[in-house]
Amino acid sequence: MLDRPFFSKNGVEIRHGQLYRLKKPRISPDQPTGVYLKGETVTINCTVAGDYRDKTFRFYRDRQRLYSHQIITKDNIGKFRVTGTDQGGSYHCQYGTSVNRRQFWSQLSEAVMVTIADLPKPNISVDSSLVLKGGKVTFNCTNPRDHPGFTFYLYRHREANYSDVQTAARDNSVTFTITNIDHTDGGNYTCLYKGDVWGRLLTSAESDPVHITVRDKSVALEAGVGSAVILILILALLGVCFWKKGKCGNSREMRTTAPPSDETNETLTYADLNLQTKPRKVCGQRNIVRTFGEESTTYAMVKR
């Protein structure tokens, strides 16, 4: 009867009285450079040549085991989505196999480095959002980080319509100028940048958009004249209102109803007067001042 194989915890298999060391696995990322951007998925393979037994695989970062909430493992492949730069580091893998309910693990593989690159989206600005047909417009695109030598691209409606590209030299900022502009040049513009990061060509996210509108010169002139006319009318109305307010403050309010005790057949005119305070002649009564003219009698009622 043949001896059954046994395994030691240091990766040594005892088979028929002979020692066989478990093979060291090999680890490799799907990106040869090991460089990834935020939002990308890292795929790591752990392979063992010439061993076809059932195996269980584990993955480690900086020699700390990764669990299901950190990496998704299926067979010999581990995957995780990059959410932060702290996911970079030194990665290893290991496999285990069991015989007669005994589990044994291989040595750790050699390490591979995973580097997380952080490329923030650029900022874009435009010198004027309203451009006359035949004129020009200038866009400025800036990289928030210190990455000199990156190449910037200008996009219109998410399409690279303009073949001109600019390379940032010192201040991580470039300008794009479009001359002899036409109506077809209006719309939303964005920019992005590309560059080599630790051996891999990476592309940033697009900037937030800026919008430009292209108008004919005649339309722009008419709009300017119309705005000036509206402004003049508003100023004129304000002037009239202030003038009337001052006039009303100095005028007297007229009314044509006489007190019952003073009804006559004459044409009467009444005025409420704003008079200075003077000593009363009759306490608690109203003083009626009556003046006579050539054609009518005028009453002034003073309220105390």
Side-chain angles (χ1 to χ4, degrees):
M1 182 175 181
L2 298 177
D3 294 333
R4 295 179 179 178
F6 294 92
F7 301 86
S8 66
K9 294 185 178 180
N10 60 3
V12 176
E13 172 187 345
I14 304 174
R15 185 193 296 257
H16 307 302
Q18 296 183 4
L19 298 179
Y20 297 91
R21 185 175 297 276
L22 294 181
K23 294 182 178 181
K24 180 185 290 186
R26 182 179 179 182
I27 188 171
S28 60
D30 59 332
Q31 283 292 342
T33 61
V35 178
Y36 296 86
L37 277 173
K38 285 184 178 180
E40 292 184 327
T41 298
V42 178
T43 301
I44 301 176
N45 286 274
C46 186
T47 57
V48 183
D51 191 337
Y52 305 102
R53 292 171 295 192
D54 292 336
K55 305 174 189 67
T56 302
F57 290 87
R58 292 175 177 175
F59 292 90
Y60 298 80
R61 181 175 64 235
D62 299 330
R63 295 188 174 272
Q64 298 294 318
R65 183 181 171 185
L66 299 175
Y67 293 92
S68 58
H69 67 282
Q70 298 170 300
I71 191 168
I72 299 174
T73 303
K74 184 177 181 181
D75 296 330
N76 66 322
I77 297 175
K79 293 184 178 182
F80 63 91
R81 185 174 178 83
V82 178
T83 58
T85 56
D86 59 334
Q87 292 171 292
S90 177
Y91 281 76
H92 299 79
C93 73
Q94 182 186 39
Y95 73 95
T97 187
S98 63
V99 174
N100 293 334
R101 300 180 181 179
R102 296 184 65 182
Q103 184 78 25
F104 301 98
W105 294 92
S106 71
Q107 302 177 66
L108 294 179
S109 67
E110 299 294 335
V112 294
M113 288 300 300
V114 172
T115 304
I116 309 302
D118 185 13
L119 297 185
K121 66 182 179 182
N123 300 317
I124 189 172
S125 60
V126 63
D127 59 351
S128 176
S129 59
L130 178 61
V131 188
L132 297 181
K133 182 180 179 182
K136 69 176 183 178
V137 63
T138 299
F139 299 90
N140 181 271
C141 192
T142 303
N143 179 0
R145 297 286 177 82
D146 185 16
H147 289 143
F150 277 26
T151 303
F152 289 78
Y153 297 81
L154 181 67
Y155 288 77
R156 175 177 172 272
H157 296 317
R158 298 186 177 275
E159 297 179 359
N161 306 73
Y162 302 96
S163 59
D164 291 339
V165 297
Q166 303 289 338
T167 300
R170 296 180 180 177
D171 57 357
N172 302 323
S173 179
V174 299
T175 58
F176 297 91
T177 300
I178 304 174
T179 59
N180 195 24
I181 202 164
D182 198 359
H183 290 291
T184 57
D185 296 317
N188 292 324
Y189 285 79
T190 58
C191 71
L192 57 78
Y193 58 92
K194 300 179 181 181
D196 183 276
V197 180
W198 296 302
R200 182 185 172 193
L201 181 62
L202 296 178
T203 302
S204 74
E206 289 186 37
S207 66
D208 293 330
V210 293
H211 184 83
I212 66 168
T213 302
V214 181
R215 290 186 179 177
D216 293 327
K217 293 183 179 180
S218 58
V219 174
L221 180 61
E222 292 175 359
V225 172
S227 299
V229 170
I230 292 174
L231 180 60
I232 292 173
L233 290 175
I234 291 174
L235 293 175
L237 289 174
L238 289 174
V240 170
C241 288
F242 282 119
W243 177 76
K244 285 188 174 182
K245 185 177 180 180
K247 183 177 179 181
C248 292
N250 295 328
S251 62
R252 297 174 179 177
E253 181 180 344
M254 307 302 293
R255 61 185 181 182
T256 57
T257 303
S261 59
D262 294 323
E263 291 181 354
T264 64
N265 294 327
E266 295 178 324
T267 300
L268 303 178
T269 301
Y270 289 85
D272 290 333
L273 305 178
N274 295 323
L275 303 178
Q276 295 180 353
T277 303
K278 295 182 178 180
R280 295 185 180 182
K281 293 183 178 180
V282 180
C283 182
Q285 297 182 358
R286 297 176 178 176
N287 295 337
I288 305 299
V289 179
R290 186 173 184 181
T291 60
F292 298 89
E294 294 180 356
E295 299 180 356
S296 64
T297 302
T298 301
Y299 288 87
M301 181 175 64
V302 183
K303 295 182 180 180
R304 298 295 186 179

